[in-house]
Amino acid sequence: MRRSRTMELQLPAPGETILAMLKLPGEMCNINCHYCYERRKPYPNALMLKPEVLRKFLGLCEGRPLAVELHGGEPLLIGRRKMGELFAELRRYEGAVTVSMQTNGILLDKAWLDFFDAEWPDIEIGISLDGDEQGNAHRVDFRDRPTYRKVTKALELMASRGRNVGVIVVVTRRILGRAADVLDSLSKFEAVKVVKLSGCLDFNVKTKDYRTPNRQSLQILNPDGVGMPGWATTPDEYADFLIESFEHWSATRSYGSYVLEPFFSVIRSLSGLPTSYTSFSDRKEPFVVTLYPDGRIGSSDELSMPGALLGSVDTATGMNDLLTLDSNPRLRTDLSALLNKCAGCSHEASCRGGALPDRLRFEGTGFEEDYCDYRRKVIDHVAAALPAAA
């Protein structure tokens, strides 16, 4: 490991790109995933993002380069007409803009792809799918029916149109010990070129509105919010799954077919190279802003609201106060304190502080050191494997 350095919360320079998450339909979604973090946030009204709200937000950005991600809930619920109005606002923006979208894929059809070809041909599309059919047991509709087959049709459609897809896999208890099955199920889809294994490290979660009559689901959802809910894993379980995935990815030489995160970023981090994956980057929450339909602006969408609130399109005087977190000094203090704890750690240079939203949720739970142990375990495993792979 490289020599330790003092970690500080890095702030964006004037010309640096920031990630702007646009919550097009707020929390509204056409499926009812048990672990959805968006439904834990306060939403006063069910709103769609309007062009005038986006226009005000873009005015605050003052030409700064933007990486825009269309998000939700389910962003496609906004419909093509309203989506087209938002794209028109983005085209008028005076700065550079790239656009991506994270969707559950169920509404993605030929008409939508034709629309994107016409309106924003370079849009990058990500689809959420937790591996194979068994792994997707927590991704159900509002009648607790499975959604897996509908999503795989979208992957097949994307391949038929020559489009590549990144897939986000939420690592729940449903896929522990089955990394090979999960990765093999995804690799059979020609469109899948990136797989991101996202930890489900929830603790003391109480879902605001799970809207399901199924008694078994109620038990899974842990409505009292005491202890880890039924979908969550411990940090050590997540680490074991990641290591199992890395071994299968390496043994099958699948790195020639698809990128597997977080390992691409771990390898770059171990090599001293930058990465855009926040969990292994020096560029953390100050580089992310989230626009909600009612005009609220928050930091990373993975942080809870209203604790991550930075301001609104009607009250903010410029983006600088938001990006420096000066409008929310408590959040800046909390995030800085987490990074300060990393000082002197043997893995500081490669871990780069981890995912701060996860670490904030673990504060006071007794799992803080478990989180750091999982990071060290995964980094050490990859570091040991690199000479053999050279």
Side-chain angles (χ1 to χ4, degrees):
M1 296 297 172
R2 297 184 312 177
R3 189 174 181 179
S4 176
R5 55 193 168 81
T6 301
M7 293 193 70
E8 297 180 354
L9 194 63
Q10 185 174 333
L11 303 178
E16 287 188 277
T17 301
I18 60 171
L19 173 60
M21 308 280 291
L22 307 185
K23 296 291 183 179
L24 303 193
E27 66 174 347
M28 292 174 57
C29 194
N30 55 336
I31 64 175
N32 190 31
C33 299
H34 296 155
Y35 51 68
C36 178
Y37 62 80
E38 201 60 39
R39 293 222 174 96
R40 305 173 201 163
K41 298 179 182 178
Y43 273 91
N45 297 295
L47 300 170
M48 297 286 185
L49 182 62
K50 296 180 179 180
E52 52 267 33
V53 174
L54 177 58
R55 190 179 311 133
K56 291 179 181 179
F57 173 80
L58 294 175
L60 294 172
C61 295
E62 298 179 328
R64 176 187 290 271
L66 298 178
V68 171
E69 182 165 332
L70 311 179
H71 216 277
E74 172 49 51
L76 295 181
L77 284 176
I78 201 169
R80 286 185 286 278
R81 180 182 64 80
K82 292 181 179 178
M83 183 84 81
E85 293 173 350
L86 297 178
F87 278 156
E89 294 295 333
L90 291 173
R91 282 194 293 269
R92 294 188 191 103
Y93 182 62
E94 58 187 9
V97 179
T98 61
V99 178
S100 62
M101 178 181 68
Q102 189 64 35
T103 173
N104 59 41
I106 291 176
L107 298 177
L108 197 61
D109 57 14
K110 292 181 179 179
W112 267 113
L113 291 181
D114 288 343
F115 170 83
F116 290 128
D117 285 344
E119 291 283 334
W120 209 286
D122 294 333
I123 187 172
E124 294 185 1
I125 298 176
I127 290 180
S128 301
L129 189 68
D130 298 344
D132 58 8
E133 190 161 11
Q134 180 182 340
N136 281 269
H138 291 299
R139 301 186 63 82
V140 296
D141 67 13
F142 285 91
R143 295 184 181 179
D144 274 336
R145 297 175 300 191
T147 61
Y148 176 77
R149 298 294 179 183
K150 294 180 179 179
V151 182
T152 57
K153 287 182 179 179
L155 292 176
E156 292 165 354
L157 175 62
M158 292 286 282
S160 72
R161 299 288 288 257
R163 281 188 172 270
N164 295 334
V165 178
V167 173
I168 291 183
V169 176
V170 177
V171 179
T172 68
R173 304 197 71 79
R174 290 282 183 172
I175 64 175
L176 293 182
R178 299 195 308 106
D181 293 340
V182 167
L183 295 180
D184 288 347
S185 71
L186 293 173
S187 65
K188 71 180 182 182
F189 295 104
E190 182 183 345
V192 175
K193 300 302 179 185
V194 179
V195 176
K196 177 184 176 183
L197 304 175
S198 181
C200 195
L201 306 176
D202 287 334
F203 189 91
N204 283 351
V205 168
K206 182 176 181 180
T207 305
K208 182 177 69 174
D209 182 6
Y210 36 81
R211 304 174 191 171
T212 173
N214 187 298
R215 183 179 297 274
Q216 182 179 2
S217 293
L218 290 176
Q219 295 170 350
I220 293 171
L221 290 166
N222 192 29
D224 293 331
V226 178
M228 298 188 78
W231 60 74
T233 74
T234 66
D236 192 56
E237 288 171 333
Y238 177 49
D240 286 343
F241 181 85
L242 289 181
I243 289 171
E244 184 185 345
S245 300
F246 178 76
E247 288 300 307
H248 183 73
W249 184 57
S250 301
T252 57
R253 298 184 178 273
S254 295
Y255 39 78
S257 302
Y258 62 90
V259 171
L260 185 62
E261 288 284 18
F263 299 110
F264 178 75
S265 293
V266 172
I267 292 169
R268 287 185 62 86
S269 186
L270 284 167
S271 303
L273 299 173
T275 171
S276 60
Y277 191 13
T278 307
S279 179
F280 284 92
S281 172
D282 291 321
R283 300 181 178 186
K284 299 192 181 295
E285 276 52 45
F287 288 82
V288 184
V289 288
T290 303
L291 177 64
Y292 294 89
D294 59 0
R296 288 175 299 159
I297 302 173
S299 183
S300 167
D301 74 320
E302 295 185 12
L303 291 166
S304 62
M305 290 286 277
L309 182 65
L310 300 178
S312 79
V313 296
D314 293 320
T315 61
T317 57
M319 189 57 63
N320 188 61
D321 286 347
L322 308 185
L323 297 178
T324 58
L325 305 185
D326 286 347
S327 61
N328 190 337
R330 171 65 183 272
L331 179 61
R332 180 170 178 169
T333 297
D334 288 346
L335 297 179
S336 297
L338 290 175
L339 289 177
N340 288 337
K341 291 182 179 180
C342 299
C345 174
S346 59
H347 292 61
E348 181 184 338
S350 52
C351 176
R352 296 175 178 171
L356 299 187
D358 283 341
R359 291 181 62 190
L360 275 181
R361 283 192 294 271
F362 273 65
E363 284 286 282
T365 67
F367 278 100
E368 297 94 334
E369 191 60 31
D370 295 56
Y371 179 89
C372 295
D373 287 344
Y374 117 68
R375 301 277 295 184
R376 287 188 282 261
K377 186 175 183 179
V378 170
I379 291 170
D380 286 347
H381 186 87
V382 175
L386 287 181

